[in-house]
Amino acid sequence: MTETTPPAAKASRPSFAAIMPRLARALTHDSRPPLMALGFCALVIVCAVFGESIAPFAKDQAHFTSTLMPPAWTEQGNWPFILGTDHLGRDMLSRLIAGARISLMTAGAAIFVAGILGTLLGLIAGYVGGWLDIVISRLVDAFLALPFILMALALVAALGAGTANIILVMIVTNWARYARLVRSEVMSVKKLDYVTLARVAGVSHPLIILRHIIPNAMQSILVLALLDVGRSIILESSLSFLGLGIQPPDVSWGLMLADARSYLMFAWWTAAFPGLAIVATVMSFNSTGDWLKRRFDPRAFL
Amino acid sequence: MTGALVSMRNVSVAFGPASQPVRAVNRIDLEIEPAQIVGLVGESGSGKTTLCNALMRGLHSAARLEGSIAFAGRDLYALSAAELRRLRLSDMTMILQNPMTALDPMFTVGDQLQELIGERGVSGRQDIAGLALAALKRVHLSAPAMRLKQYPHELSGGMKQRVLIAMATASKPRLLIADEPTSALDASIQDEILFLLREARDRDGTAVLIVSHDLGAIRRVSDRTVVMYAGRIVEDGPTAQIFREPRHPYTRALLDSLPRIEGDEVTMKAIGGQIPKLDSLPAGCAFADRCPIATPQCLAEPPPERVTGQNRTFCWEAQ
Amino acid sequence: MILSRLAQAAVTFLLLTFLVFVLARLTGDPAPLVLSADATLDDFAFFRRQYGLDRNFVLQYLTFLSNLFSLDFGNSFRYRVPALDVVLAGIGPTLKLTGLSMLISGFVGVALGTFAAVSKSRVVDFTVNLVASIGQAVPSFWLGLMMIILFSITFPVFPSSGYGTAAHYVLPAVTLSFFATSSIIRLTRVNMQEALKSDFVHMERVLGLSERRVVLRHALRNASLPIVTYVGLQFGLLLSGAIVTERVFSWPGLGQVIVGAILNRDYPVIQATVLVTAILFMLVNLVVDILVVIMDPRLRS
């Protein structure tokens, strides 16, 4: 093609029709960063880390004279409680902020350990091969073949509820995906010439793994980890909602929703805000993960 | 010429911005007579397939048609979607280049054939089944009753092409467009497929526009040959005459590029140079920079139409 | 192919029985949970003998397995009836809810996905993507709570809990199907767009087949194979979702059974629920595999 300059675009206010494609691209094929999602992820992380110094009240501080206060902007609302209070008069916003810490901490810890465990097993399966590979691959298949909540419930039944056990449950339900991913990455990297060359040149196995295989697999692991944040938050909140997850006095979004169930009739805000927090957080981490996936591997979306 | 079945007037197919269009088909005039077999030849990229799609109203949505195409006296591009569908069901039909993927793999041959016959307005299970069987018999498919119950993946490429021809010709159309009907097939069955097209013409009076880069196929099957180059027609005339005494230097070069046996040796002469890019065509004849007899005039001015008998050639140097 | 699938499912199931067995034993002695506080040491010994807890680990597992094959999951600690009976009582409502949700998400998902694939509108494109990404992020129990606030409290149209009449199904089924619907829409659209680009679709259009037939009969049929497989996989997610959704709407199904059993440490019921659900899940996937083979003439022969 010769250089063809399109007719100079007339400066005008962008119409609705002109904005739509841009939004659509932003959700599908665009590789520009999803700024809103990144911003929200950052906000949640800040809440998780500095929660106590940001929150207007302590998460357990009950105000028995102002129980089930609606959000501040409604008629019966009261200003210090921006998002209202729950049945014990605890500030919703403060509890949401405190919940961010639990949700992110459990998800983060579980993903970190599951990622390392899965990566190690995947490396062993892919690099060593043989019967180890067969055993690990079978295990991975079995773990991925079952609805994860079943496994989670079976584990909770055995271990009991509580934060540490929830993390353990999430590790057990998550490691298999990393193992499968890393194994297939190792298999494809193994075929590449430079690994063969490195081996011929007498480079030791740990060094090959460290220098060549891990960096290659890192991008995919990172994407999977980001997408797992959403999955883990939903799993944790589901278990907590059932009363099988985080236990009071700890606070989590799922637990807040379990409390809210009894007050649906007259306090919609106790149910609405924790849920919105979950949805917004999960969507933000998901679209960040999707964006990274597109950046790393544009073919995945063609 | 009046009474032509297809009449294309100054037809172009343009892509890209209106200010600087790229024309895959460039200001073509072409008429097809009833019951005539017209062979369309040219290298790939010469616009043959685009021309067929324009004639079938099957152009890509980004393409723009300029000029007019009439079928049996009606402006093809003025038809409503329903009218176009009726036309395709009865009078105007096409078979695609690759028979391997042109049939729906999920349905039997009989299902697809009968569905089409039903869409053509035939009702009654018995009638439809009878017509489907007859259509397969007409294309000389072995064991036709069994084929009706088979799925496309159970048939060979040649059989599939026969089925497609059966589907296309069951309505005794007035025009059949065949885009490279044999290029995906074994050499051994190419002639049989071409023969089917001739038969359809002889039996039903169907005009056939057959596209091919295989000059031998065109020579064996067509009454008339149209040679395209860079989106334009360069020569158009009776097949026998064109193959015997081509008038356009490009046609001559094309014929020379066919392998031929001289004594003990097989020789072929490739055409030197490159096909010009469609977005940077010269002001004059598109073939000028590869033409052995080009003059300064050829480079500067578009070639005139030179008519001799039934042959028309677009060349300054043609006698 | 089906045989190897069966073998694979059997291996997975065996692994699961082992896992379930180990987990149950991990928690130690159930006797104190079951027996009353004034039980004597003899009572404990009797209980252990009765449930085979005094034998060694491998033997216990083998007994567990052989009992499984005679459909004996042991007695519920809590209700003193066979655990399987407790599970079977809950399975009907759960299957009805899950099945209905699967139907809803299948039909709505395929219909909207097809519409999105045929439509050339950017607005539709955008909406589909938005719905899909929201659908992946909304926990079903929260959606359920919002539905109750909206359709049972603010506009009292449907009952918020209970089981029995058709109206009781509306909110739980819609809630449960939301996640699956959004992902089926997405998958259908991608597959339909792919199918509509194929040669035979072009051929059929050129031959004059009506657009309705081309899209709904031919393209959809070709796009349906991966969709059917996917809907089968969604069944597992729907079962998982049902456990939580049932809690929201007080639906008397497996979810209530297993949550109650976990809170009361009723291991035989937990084991039975997990294994029965796993069998259901594997059965559905097996049926789907067979269905795909039946649907695809290329695999049939």
Side-chain angles (χ1 to χ4, degrees), chain B residues 249 285 287-299 317:
Chain B
C285 175
F287 187 59
D289 61 341
R290 299 168 81 184
C291 180
I293 57 169
T295 65
Q297 188 181 29
C298 297
L299 288 165
E317 297 301 308

Side-chain angles (χ1 to χ4, degrees), chain B residues 230-248:
Chain B
R232 293 181 176 132
I233 291 178
V234 294
E235 185 166 0
D236 169 13
T239 300
Q241 174 265 316
I242 281 197
F243 279 85
R244 197 174 55 245
E245 42 188 35
R247 293 175 68 211
H248 196 283

Side-chain angles (χ1 to χ4, degrees), chain B residues 25-308:
Chain B
V25 168
N26 203 340
R27 297 193 188 91
I28 274 184
D29 290 304
L30 180 67
E31 294 193 328
I32 298 173
E33 304 298 319
Q36 188 178 46
I37 300 186
V38 177
L40 193 55
V41 295
E43 289 160 285
S44 38
S46 60
K48 296 168 300 188
T49 298
T50 310
L51 187 68
C52 290
N53 286 334
L55 179 49
M56 215 46 219
R57 250 184 84 171
L59 285 172
H60 189 272
S61 57
R64 293 187 306 278
L65 186 98
E66 297 160 1
S68 72
I69 304 178
F71 183 87
R74 301 161 79 192
D75 183 351
L76 204 56
Y77 279 72
L79 298 180
S80 70
E83 286 170 324
L84 177 70
R85 233 194 94 209
R86 272 200 296 280
L87 190 70
R88 285 173 171 180
L89 279 173
S90 59
D91 286 340
M92 189 170 85
T93 187
M94 181 170 181
I95 52 176
L96 300 185
Q97 190 163 354
N98 190 353
M100 302 311 287
T101 53
L103 286 166
D104 187 336
M106 306 295 284
F107 293 88
T108 62
V109 167
D111 271 343
Q112 298 184 52
L113 200 48
Q114 288 170 6
E115 179 181 26
L116 190 65
I117 292 169
E119 288 273 281
R120 281 172 180 153
V122 181
S123 56
R125 198 176 275 254
Q126 290 294 318
D127 292 350
I128 292 178
L131 282 173
L133 190 63
L136 286 192
K137 281 182 178 156
R138 262 206 303 279
V139 293
H140 312 299
L141 200 59
S142 59
M146 181 182 89
R147 304 290 174 215
L148 283 175
K149 295 192 193 76
Q150 284 185 315
Y151 286 93
H153 72 275
E154 296 169 297
L155 305 181
S156 69
M159 289 178 188
K160 281 185 207 167
Q161 193 63 293
R162 280 180 203 271
V163 170
L164 286 165
I165 293 175
M167 290 171 82
T169 58
S171 64
K172 302 188 170 58
R174 295 163 78 182
L175 174 68
L176 171 66
I177 301 169
D179 185 6
E180 303 269 7
T182 59
S183 57
L185 301 178
D186 275 1
S188 56
I189 49 172
Q190 289 185 352
D191 275 2
E192 296 172 31
I193 297 295
L194 293 175
F195 177 69
L196 287 176
L197 302 178
R198 269 204 101 102
E199 235 183 21
R201 190 272 303 270
D202 295 344
R203 190 179 53 230
D204 307 325
T206 301
V208 181
L209 177 64
I210 171 169
V211 175
S212 185
H213 60 260
D214 177 1
L215 288 172
I218 296 292
R219 180 180 204 166
R220 287 193 291 281
V221 74
S222 67
D223 308 320
R224 182 178 146 202
T225 299
V226 175
V227 185
M228 280 186 76
Y229 184 78
R232 293 181 176 132
I233 291 178
V234 294
E235 185 166 0
D236 169 13
T239 300
Q241 174 265 316
I242 281 197
F243 279 85
R244 197 174 55 245
E245 42 188 35
R247 293 175 68 211
H248 196 283
Y250 176 67
T251 317
R252 269 200 294 275
L254 211 54
L255 290 175
D256 282 342
S257 72
L258 285 177
R260 73 176 82 216
I261 300 166
E262 284 172 0
D264 293 340
E265 277 178 90
V266 179
T267 62
M268 53 192 285
K269 243 163 60 191
I271 309 174
Q274 297 276 315
I275 304 172
K277 287 206 172 113
L278 288 176
D279 57 4
S280 52
L281 287 179
C285 175
F287 187 59
D289 61 341
R290 299 168 81 184
C291 180
I293 57 169
T295 65
Q297 188 181 29
C298 297
L299 288 165
E301 290 173 67
E305 181 182 34
R306 296 258 160 96
V307 180
T308 312

Side-chain angles (χ1 to χ4, degrees), chain A residues 59-60 86-88 90 95 102 161-163 166 236 239-259, chain C residues 263:
Chain A
K59 66 184 195 313
D60 294 326
D86 70 1
H87 60 290
L88 296 177
R90 294 174 296 193
R95 286 178 73 71
I102 291 281
T163 311
I166 290 307
E236 176 266 307
L239 289 175
S240 299
F241 176 75
L242 292 176
L244 306 173
I246 309 296
Q247 300 293 317
D250 280 342
V251 54
S252 103
W253 296 334
L255 202 56
M256 292 171 76
L257 285 170
D259 285 341
Chain C
L263 291 175

Side-chain angles (χ1 to χ4, degrees), chain A:
Chain A
M1 284 276 167
T2 53
E3 290 125 288
T4 52
T5 42
K10 295 255 156 46
S12 66
R13 254 182 66 230
S15 66
F16 180 67
I19 290 177
M20 285 315 273
R22 248 188 288 163
L23 280 172
R25 266 204 314 278
L27 276 166
T28 52
H29 298 286
D30 203 340
S31 60
R32 268 173 300 179
L35 289 179
M36 260 174 66
L38 284 173
F40 197 82
C41 289
L43 178 70
V44 176
I45 292 172
V46 166
C47 285
V49 177
F50 302 109
E52 271 144 33
S53 22
I54 304 174
F57 298 96
K59 66 184 195 313
D60 294 326
Q61 192 182 342
H63 305 82
F64 291 109
T65 49
S66 16
T67 55
L68 294 176
M69 292 278 277
W73 61 85
T74 58
E75 250 172 65
Q76 292 97 35
N78 219 340
W79 255 111
F81 310 114
I82 302 172
L83 298 180
T85 60
D86 70 1
H87 60 290
L88 296 177
R90 294 174 296 193
D91 180 46
M92 288 293 293
L93 179 63
S94 305
R95 286 178 73 71
L96 282 180
I97 291 174
R101 169 173 292 183
I102 291 281
S103 292
L104 274 200
M105 194 190 75
T106 47
I111 291 168
F112 186 72
V113 179
I116 289 179
L117 184 73
T119 303
L120 278 177
L121 288 173
L123 276 177
I124 293 170
Y127 201 79
V128 179
W131 64 269
L132 264 173
D133 182 22
I134 295 172
V135 170
I136 293 173
S137 299
R138 279 287 95 192
L139 263 177
V140 166
D141 285 347
F143 270 79
L144 290 179
L146 287 166
F148 63 86
I149 201 140
L150 262 191
M151 198 134 49
L153 287 178
L155 275 167
V156 169
L159 305 172
T163 311
N165 286 347
I166 290 307
I167 294 176
L168 197 62
V169 165
M170 295 203 286
I171 293 169
V172 172
T173 52
N174 275 345
W175 70 273
R177 268 194 299 273
Y178 294 90
R180 186 167 65 176
L181 174 81
V182 170
R183 182 184 174 273
S184 73
E185 291 275 343
V186 173
M187 293 309 229
S188 60
V189 170
K190 248 169 126 179
K191 290 196 201 102
L192 295 179
D193 275 346
Y194 57 87
V195 176
T196 321
L197 273 178
R199 201 145 65 191
V200 171
V203 180
S204 70
H205 284 194
L207 208 61
I208 295 174
I209 291 174
L210 211 65
R211 282 258 189 82
H212 302 290
I213 293 182
I214 297 275
N216 264 288
M218 212 51 219
Q219 291 185 346
S220 322
I221 295 175
L222 189 63
V223 168
L224 186 56
L226 271 172
L227 295 177
D228 258 353
V229 173
R231 238 192 309 254
S232 302
I233 288 178
I234 288 190
L235 177 64
E236 176 266 307
S237 59
S238 300
L239 289 175
S240 299
F241 176 75
L242 292 176
L244 306 173
I246 309 296
Q247 300 293 317
D250 280 342
V251 54
S252 103
W253 296 334
L255 202 56
M256 292 171 76
L257 285 170
D259 285 341
R261 227 191 123 201
S262 318
Y263 305 97
L264 285 183
M265 287 292 277
F266 27 83
W268 57 269
W269 56 92
T270 56
F273 295 127
L276 283 177
I278 296 174
V279 173
T281 308
V282 173
M283 267 181 91
S284 299
F285 276 97
N286 280 354
S287 53
T288 305
D290 281 339
W291 167 64
L292 276 186
K293 192 163 158 185
R294 284 196 298 274
R295 282 212 43 185
F296 292 151
D297 184 11
R299 281 162 305 152
F301 278 77
L302 289 181

